[in-house]
Amino acid sequence: MQSTVQTSSLMKHRVLHVQQRIEQITEAIRLRDFPKFGEITMRDSNEMHAVCLDTYPPIAYLNDTSHQIIRSVHEYNSEKGEVRAAYTFDAGPNAVLFCEEKDLFEIRDRIKSKFCGEGGRVSELVECKIGCGPMLRASS
């Protein structure tokens, strides 16, 4: 990360907007506005990976499968006419997908059919559900 701070001009821009993005995503969660939550999440993920690529020498966490999953999520959302699935990535090429429970089976089946099984590039899907839903905690 130190080389990113020292060499990426995009990082300077990213840092300027952190507080605004936190406020926007907090509001989306508070309002249970999944399309807004999903858009902010994906844009933030894309921006972070752009910053990594802008680092000199570049840091590339995503692989071909990562990019295919990104395209698949955007195709799904286009088919539905709104953001109903969102992605981000861990510190590597592993996608973390978000959706509402009503879309879980359809999205899971889509990912399984495109990326799992014989010849697939995804070796494991892990489903996690939230407890009582997202909650905002008051600042102390």
Side-chain angles (χ1 to χ4, degrees):
M1 190 48 121
Q2 191 172 18
S3 63
T4 299
V5 171
Q6 293 172 349
T7 65
S8 172
S9 60
L10 296 179
M11 182 64 167
K12 293 166 188 62
H13 171 77
R14 181 172 168 77
V15 169
L16 293 175
H17 298 92
V18 169
Q19 187 59 42
Q20 178 185 11
R21 187 159 296 147
I22 290 170
E23 291 168 8
Q24 291 172 339
I25 202 156
T26 300
E27 182 72 358
I29 292 168
R30 188 181 70 74
L31 296 174
R32 296 179 183 255
D33 183 346
F34 185 84
K36 181 54 82 178
F37 167 84
E39 180 181 343
I40 294 166
T41 300
M42 292 185 288
R43 286 180 178 274
D44 187 68
S45 177
N46 295 344
E47 185 180 283
M48 194 276 296
H49 287 284
V51 167
C52 290
L53 289 174
D54 187 51
T55 300
Y56 190 82
I59 302 166
Y61 289 114
L62 304 181
N63 60 26
D64 289 343
T65 302
S66 306
H67 290 287
Q68 290 169 4
I69 289 172
I70 289 170
R71 280 191 295 277
S72 183
V73 167
H74 283 289
E75 287 168 4
Y76 178 81
N77 290 336
S78 290
E79 291 166 13
K80 298 300 179 183
E82 66 177 345
V83 175
R84 297 203 10 211
Y87 58 81
T88 190
F89 291 83
D90 64 6
N94 305 310
V96 176
L97 302 180
F98 297 96
C99 68
E100 293 183 286
E101 195 164 5
K102 65 184 171 106
D103 298 309
L104 175 63
F105 296 111
E106 188 174 7
I107 292 166
R108 182 188 62 201
D109 292 346
R110 181 186 192 100
I111 296 299
K112 278 186 174 181
S113 70
K114 287 187 170 201
F115 300 103
C116 297
E118 194 170 322
R121 295 181 183 204
V122 174
S123 59
E124 184 178 11
L125 291 179
V126 178
E127 289 179 28
C128 300
K129 295 184 180 182
I130 59 173
C132 61
M135 298 170 48
L136 292 178
R137 294 183 180 208
S139 301
S140 39

